[in-house]
Amino acid sequence: MKTIQSSFILLLSFVLLLPLGCKQNEIQPTQSCSTSSPAPHPKATSYQKVLNDYVRKGLPGISLLIRDEDGTWYGAAGMADIDKGIAMQPCHVSKAASITKIFIGALIMKLVEEGKMELDAPLSKYVAAKHLDNVANAKQVTLRQVLNHTSGIPDVIEQSSFYLAVLNNPGRFWTPEDLLKYVKGLDPVFELGTQLEYSNTNLLYAAMAIEGATGQDHARLLREKILDPLDLEDTYYHWHEGLPNFVAQGYFDLYNNHTIVNIANLNTGSGNGYGGIYSTVFDLQRFIEALLREKTLLKAQILQEMTRISAEDLPELEAYGVTIRKDFLDRPVNQYALGHRGRDLGYTADLFYFPNQDITMAYLINYGTDAESDLKAVFLDFRKAIVDEMMKE
């Protein structure tokens, strides 16, 4: 997966030295929350040690949930709000970033199940021509190709002009039309269907396709068909839905000097299909297990189509079905997982189900790893360390 350009980080560091006006922040100072202690688990001490170790190495806060044959363990370490001294807890809501994409993918598969959408239909069946004009490959691409990232459509998040607009108005709530103008007139990344290249624009178009197919707001349908049926009471789709007062702050080491800055309210397009879900590790577990373990969210044939890996870039260790990422491909072949990553400027998350081991893993970290910093390497070490611990006999 691509990371945010270094030029954007330099610009961001400059802009944060300037006053940002009197616009009220969406994420307010974090309040404390509480939850009951988990049941005894044989790996409780080792899991907690991993969290504590990587907070000591600089990650501000981590919440983690692991369910395996011995039960469900959850815990946390570090701070949800450094300025207010609020400790991170598993009940804190945090930004799940691109994990949003698998929620949107599940919604589309629900609509496929209902006969309202077709994966191999052209995107133009659902999205008006004016939104496809002058966007590379957009008039020829199928819905499946945007959902498995084989579209070759440029990524809005990669465009310097978009970064500048974000910096000019960090709290702006972006519309699809606002976002698409930043990819109009660009060359295709590759010939349609010939490669895999992750692009946030793909899921922007997916959200637009939902609305075109149904005539309804995709955020309302997400709530109606996915979030409410699963009782995900601590999951919010920002900016369409307000956020509670127990959202963790988000941080990044802008100057790479081991001093992290709060950038929780920087909005790079939340609520447009490619990002916007805020949740807890408990809700994330409930969602991924309903989808992939209990298999109650979708009918068997539809789920099989969603999880069928139809695009691979093995040198980059990437493989996708319909928004489902097959991950941990650098581990032994039987230790792969299905789910999605979440990487943002101020937040990081992973949500995965390991089918061969029947293990679910969800974690939320309030530090951004979508750009380079020393703490990104710390996070990557954490990612390996926690899965290593999970796989120990």
Side-chain angles (χ1 to χ4, degrees), residues 347-387:
Y347 297 88
T348 298
D350 268 354
L351 176 61
F352 285 101
Y353 176 62
F354 294 77
N356 292 321
Q357 292 78 25
D358 187 25
I359 296 175
T360 302
M361 177 190 74
Y363 58 73
L364 296 162
I365 300 174
N366 60 341
Y367 182 83
T369 57
D370 202 27
E372 299 299 330
S373 72
D374 288 346
L375 282 178
K376 182 173 181 177
V378 173
F379 160 69
L380 293 174
D381 287 345
F382 162 80
R383 191 175 198 256
K384 182 178 185 302
I386 199 64
V387 178

Side-chain angles (χ1 to χ4, degrees), residues 95-107 198 200 203 207 218 222 226-227 235-238 269-279 284 287 306 323 340-343 349 351:
K95 191 174 189 177
S98 286
I99 288 173
T100 303
K101 293 177 174 69
I102 196 173
F103 280 80
I104 297 297
L107 174 57
Y198 189 91
N200 288 281
L203 269 292
H218 80 280
L222 181 64
I226 305 295
L227 305 184
T235 299
Y236 308 85
Y237 188 37
H238 179 64
S270 286
N272 283 291
Y274 59 83
I277 288 289
Y278 285 71
S279 191
L284 292 178
F287 168 73
M306 185 178 186
T323 69
H340 214 287
R341 302 177 180 186
R343 307 290 184 263
L351 176 61

